[in-house]
Amino acid sequence: MSEFQAFDFRTKFGNRYFPAPIFTASGCAGSGKELSQFFDLNELGAVVTKSISVRPRSGRATPRMAETPSGMLNSIGLQGPGIDDFLAVDIPWLQSKGARVVVSISGETVEEYATLARKLRGVNSLYGIEVNISCPNVENRGLVFACDPVASRAVLEVVRRNIGGDYPIIAKLSPDVTDIVSIAREVVAAGADGLALINTVLGMVIDVDAIRPKLAGITGGLSGPAIRPIAVRAIYQVHSALPNTPILGMGGVASGKDALEMIFAGASGISVGTATFGNPTAVTKIKEELLALLKAKGFKTLKDAVGAAHV
Amino acid sequence: MKINSRAVQKSVEVLSNKKVGSYHHMVFSVGEMALSAKPGNFVAISVGGPNSAMVLRRAFAIYRASDRGNYGGTIELVVAAHGSGSKWLSERAIHERVDMVGPLGTAFGIPTDQVNALLVGGGYGSAPLFGLAEVLKQRGCRVDIVLGASTANKIYAPLEGKRSVNTMTLTTEDGSAGVTGRVTDVMPGLIQKNSVDIIYSCGPMAMLEAVDAIAQGAGIMHQCAVEESMACGIGVCMTCVIPLRDDAGLIRMQRTCIEGPVVDGSKVIWGNSRSIPQGTLGFNQ
C-alpha cells in the first residue's frame, strides 16, 4: 500500500511550507532568468536571490574567480543593482514565473539591514528572507557580522522588528568561527526562524608564475565539494544543539547523495550553488536524485529523514 | 530581455579531433544546436568526466556551425590546450561524448548593406572570424582578414578559411610568417586601401584595445569578441565582467557571457578592463 502513497517532500521554515527541499544558493542563480531557460523555477522549493544591498554595488575587480581542487574561490564583492532596482525589475519577473522567492539581504551596517527588511515588507511572492551576515568579500572583513555574536544578534533583531512576523527569517552563518553553535544560539534567540549553513570558507590562491595573489580581491570564498565535510560538520553540530531550528544546508552539494548526507546531518532543506556553474540543471537533477534516494531508503516523509544520522 | 533563449544542454559526440599547429580542431555532432548558432557565439563544456575535481564549465568560441552534412548539425571548435580543462577536452577521442551548453552569448552584427569588412584575429582568436567571413561573403561584402600571433604555429589559418576572404595578411612578432610585427602595424594600410567600413576583431584584450584605438581614430565601427575567464558561461557566476558603457552612458560591470562576448568596441572602458573604473555604477573599490 505504502508504495502508492505520495512521498511528503515538503519542508518548513518558520510559518512557510515549501513543496520541495531544494533551493538555489544565494549568488548562484543570477536573477532567475538565466536558469529559467533550462527548467521551471517553480520546480524548486524556492529561488534564493543574490544578496541585495541598499545601493547598487559594482563588485570587485577581476580576476574574481580561481578554480581549486573540487572547488572554486570567488571574490565577486556582492555586485548587484541595489534594493530599489531589484524590487522594480527582478521581483516582478520572478513573480510572473510563479517562483517562490527567498530574498537574501546584505548590509554594511545594522541600519542598512533594517532598511532592507522594511523595503521587503509586503512584497508579493516573498517566501522568506535570508540574512547574509557572513559574506567574506566585503571591504571591512573585520566587520563580518557572523563572526561576532553581539553584532549577529543586533542584525537579526532589527530585521525581525522591521519585517514583521509574516516571513521566515533565515540567518546565513560563516564557518570561519571558533564556535558556530554559540553564534547560532544568538541569532535564534534574536528571532531567526532558520539557519543557512554554511557560507563560503575564506581562502586564497597565489599565482606562482606572476608571484601575486590570483584574485584581485586577494582572498576569496571557497565553495564546491571541497568544503562539503565542513558544512556537514557545522550542520551536525548546530542540529545537535538546536534540534527544533530548521537548517538550510549548503556547501558543495552536487548530487542527491550529497544532499541526503546533509539532511541526515540535520538540514531541512538544501541550497545548490557551485554545482550550477558546472551544470545549469544541477538543481533539478539533485532534487530528483534526492527524492529517489529517500524513497529507496524507505522514508515516507522528508521530515523523518532530517537529522537521522544523530546518535 | 530573454537570456540564453537559444541555449540547450546536450550530450554531444566527438566526430573528429585533429591537431592543427598548436591547436586542436574538433567537430561535434550537436543536432539542432547548430541551427541557432551564429558567428561570435560560444559553447560551455563540462570537463574532466563524472569524478572530476574540475567543477567549472569551460567556454569555447564556435569556429563554425553547420546544419547540413552527413552528421546533421555540427559545431566545430579550435581548442588551445592551455589549462587542465582544455587539455582534457583536446584529448577526447572520436565517439566520446561531452556535455555541451550552447549556443551562448552575443553574435557579430551583420550589416544589411554590402560593406567592406576588415577582420582581425590574434592567436586562436581567429577561429570565430572564419564563420563570420563566410556569412559576410554570402551577403556580398568585401572581406579582408589579418591574423597575428607571436610565432607562426600559433596562427590559426586553415586553408579552407582563405576561400571566404578577399585577402589574408599574417603577422608574427618573431617574423616566422608574414609581416614581422603586430596586426595593428598592417591595419592602417589595409583600412585605407580597401576603404574599410567595419572592423571585427577577436583575440587577447590588449590586442582588442589596440585595434579599437585604430578603429576609433579612423571613425570606423568596431565589434570585438572579448575574453574574460568564466566559471559558468550562462550568466549566474558574475566572474566574467568588464566595464561597459550602456546606452544611457552609464558604466556598468557587465557579464561578457551575456552582454558579450561580442561588444561594440566604443562601449568598452579600455585602459585596465580588469579594474573598476571611477564612475562605475555602484563603485565600491
Side-chain angles (χ1 to χ4, degrees):
Chain A
M1 183 193 91
S2 61
E3 64 182 283
F4 297 106
Q5 214 174 330
F7 184 89
D8 184 356
F9 209 24
R10 289 176 308 161
T11 193
K12 195 182 180 195
F13 285 84
N15 56 5
R16 294 283 170 130
Y17 278 98
F18 298 83
I22 302 296
F23 298 61
T24 61
S26 178
C28 301
S31 63
K33 289 178 188 168
E34 296 82 356
L35 295 179
S36 71
Q37 173 67 14
F38 301 98
F39 58 86
D40 266 343
L41 296 177
N42 62 14
E43 278 189 54
L44 306 179
V47 172
V48 181
T49 71
K50 57 196 164 197
S51 288
I52 303 300
S53 47
V54 174
R55 287 172 299 280
R57 290 176 62 99
S58 66
R60 289 182 167 273
T62 57
R64 290 178 166 187
M65 180 270 287
E67 193 177 45
T68 59
S70 296
M72 70 178 286
L73 278 180
N74 86 80
S75 167
I76 308 301
L78 298 174
Q79 177 171 344
I83 184 77
D84 294 334
D85 194 67
F86 172 77
L87 291 176
V89 179
D90 290 12
I91 285 286
W93 185 87
L94 286 164
Q95 196 190 335
S96 75
K97 294 291 163 187
R100 287 164 292 278
V101 183
V102 172
V103 175
S104 180
I105 58 172
S106 175
E108 286 177 39
T109 61
V110 172
E111 189 45 46
E112 285 193 356
Y113 282 98
T115 304
L116 291 162
R118 218 163 29 237
K119 286 187 183 244
L120 284 169
R121 223 170 151 158
V123 163
N124 279 321
S125 71
L126 184 66
Y127 266 64
I129 294 179
E130 179 193 86
V131 184
N132 182 3
I133 52 174
S134 49
C135 179
N137 291 317
V138 291
E139 299 88 281
N140 297 316
R141 230 161 241 145
L143 289 180
V144 171
F145 293 93
C147 295
D148 175 0
V150 178
S152 297
R153 188 176 182 122
V155 171
L156 269 296
E157 277 172 358
V158 299
V159 172
R160 179 89 279 167
R161 206 161 49 236
N162 283 278
I163 197 71
D166 292 344
Y167 306 101
I169 296 174
I170 302 169
K172 188 165 188 176
L173 304 188
S174 169
D176 291 333
V177 292
T178 309
D179 179 12
I180 197 165
V181 171
S182 64
I183 308 277
R185 285 189 201 279
E186 287 293 332
V187 295
V188 170
D193 301 291
L195 299 164
L197 303 173
I198 55 176
N199 209 323
T200 55
V201 180
L202 195 59
M204 185 168 173
V205 170
I206 288 171
D207 180 332
V208 294
D209 294 320
I211 322 185
R212 284 287 178 279
K214 195 136 181 200
L215 300 178
I218 301 178
T219 58
L222 181 63
S223 64
I227 69 164
R228 199 167 58 235
I230 300 173
V232 172
R233 178 270 299 170
I235 293 162
Y236 190 94
Q237 286 178 331
V238 172
H239 185 73
S240 288
L242 300 164
N244 298 318
T245 302
I247 294 169
L248 186 58
M250 66 197 75
V253 172
S255 70
K257 183 166 165 275
D258 301 341
L260 188 62
E261 188 184 1
M262 285 192 186
I263 285 164
F264 286 162
S268 294
I270 300 295
S271 271
V272 177
T274 303
T276 298
F277 299 167
N279 176 8
T281 51
V283 257
T284 48
K285 180 198 82 139
I286 290 165
K287 180 188 160 191
E288 283 153 25
E289 287 175 358
L290 174 65
L291 183 59
L293 277 170
L294 284 164
K295 285 179 176 171
K297 292 195 181 294
F299 289 98
K300 305 286 185 292
T301 71
L302 172 78
K303 199 165 176 247
D304 292 341
V306 173
H310 284 258
V311 288
Chain B
M1 186 185 81
K2 281 277 273 176
I3 291 179
N4 299 326
S5 61
R6 292 171 296 126
V8 293
Q9 180 177 19
K10 196 174 160 67
S11 169
V12 302
E13 185 185 345
V14 178
L15 292 178
S16 155
N17 182 357
K18 292 196 180 90
K19 193 131 196 312
V20 181
S22 300
Y23 309 112
H24 286 260
H25 171 231
M26 302 185 73
V27 185
F28 301 87
S29 171
V30 301
E32 291 186 352
M33 194 193 291
L35 280 171
S36 50
K38 295 178 183 149
N41 287 160
F42 68 97
V43 294
I45 297 175
S46 175
V47 294
N51 297 313
S52 173
M54 293 182 278
V55 298
L56 305 177
R57 234 161 234 269
R58 287 354 187 222
F60 298 91
I62 295 170
Y63 164 45
R64 279 198 316 211
S66 167
D67 55 354
R68 292 182 294 273
N70 298 341
Y71 298 99
T74 57
I75 277 180
E76 300 172 47
L77 306 177
V78 177
V79 178
H82 282 327
S84 44
S86 48
K87 184 168 183 294
W88 178 88
L89 182 64
S90 73
E91 289 164 354
R92 291 313 94 202
I94 293 173
H95 302 315
E96 283 192 69
R97 286 182 169 273
V98 297
D99 186 292
M100 183 181 280
V101 173
L104 295 162
T106 54
F108 289 110
I110 308 295
T112 44
D113 301 335
Q114 295 185 351
V115 299
N116 299 330
L118 177 63
L119 280 48
V120 185
Y124 66 102
S126 61
L129 297 178
F130 291 105
L132 172 66
E134 283 174 23
V135 173
L136 291 169
K137 265 296 194 191
Q138 284 160 15
R139 295 283 178 96
C141 295
R142 179 187 169 91
V143 182
D144 297 283
I145 193 165
V146 184
L147 302 176
S150 56
T151 189
N153 76 342
K154 290 196 173 160
I155 290 181
Y156 189 77
L159 278 175
E160 69 265 26
K162 286 180 185 156
R163 286 201 301 264
S164 48
V165 297
N166 291 66
T167 69
M168 181 184 282
T169 308
L170 304 183
T171 67
T172 53
E173 287 172 42
D174 67 358
S176 54
V179 178
T180 305
R182 295 182 165 182
V183 291
T184 43
D185 296 330
V186 300
M187 279 180 62
L190 289 165
I191 289 170
Q192 199 175 25
K193 187 175 156 205
N194 301 320
S195 310
V196 167
D197 301 303
I198 183 164
I199 295 171
Y200 296 96
S201 67
C202 183
M205 287 301 270
M207 185 203 90
L208 302 182
E209 179 173 3
V211 169
D212 192 64
I214 292 177
Q216 302 313 322
I220 299 171
M221 227 187 351
H222 172 216
Q223 294 188 14
C224 51
V226 300
E227 261 192 353
E228 179 56 69
S229 60
M230 299 175 182
C232 71
I234 57 166
V236 294
C237 77
M238 304 304 291
T239 68
C240 66
V241 296
I242 61 167
L244 285 179
R245 209 178 288 280
D246 69 12
D247 293 335
L250 190 62
I251 305 168
R252 296 169 183 269
M253 296 307 289
Q254 308 229 49
R255 295 163 294 185
T256 57
C257 65
I258 302 287
E259 282 84 11
V262 179
V263 297
D264 179 339
S266 68
K267 299 282 175 66
V268 180
I269 312 303
W270 301 105
N272 185 356
S273 65
R274 306 200 98 176
S275 68
I276 312 285
Q278 286 282 351
T280 300
L281 179 71
F283 181 84
N284 62 284
Q285 290 292 298

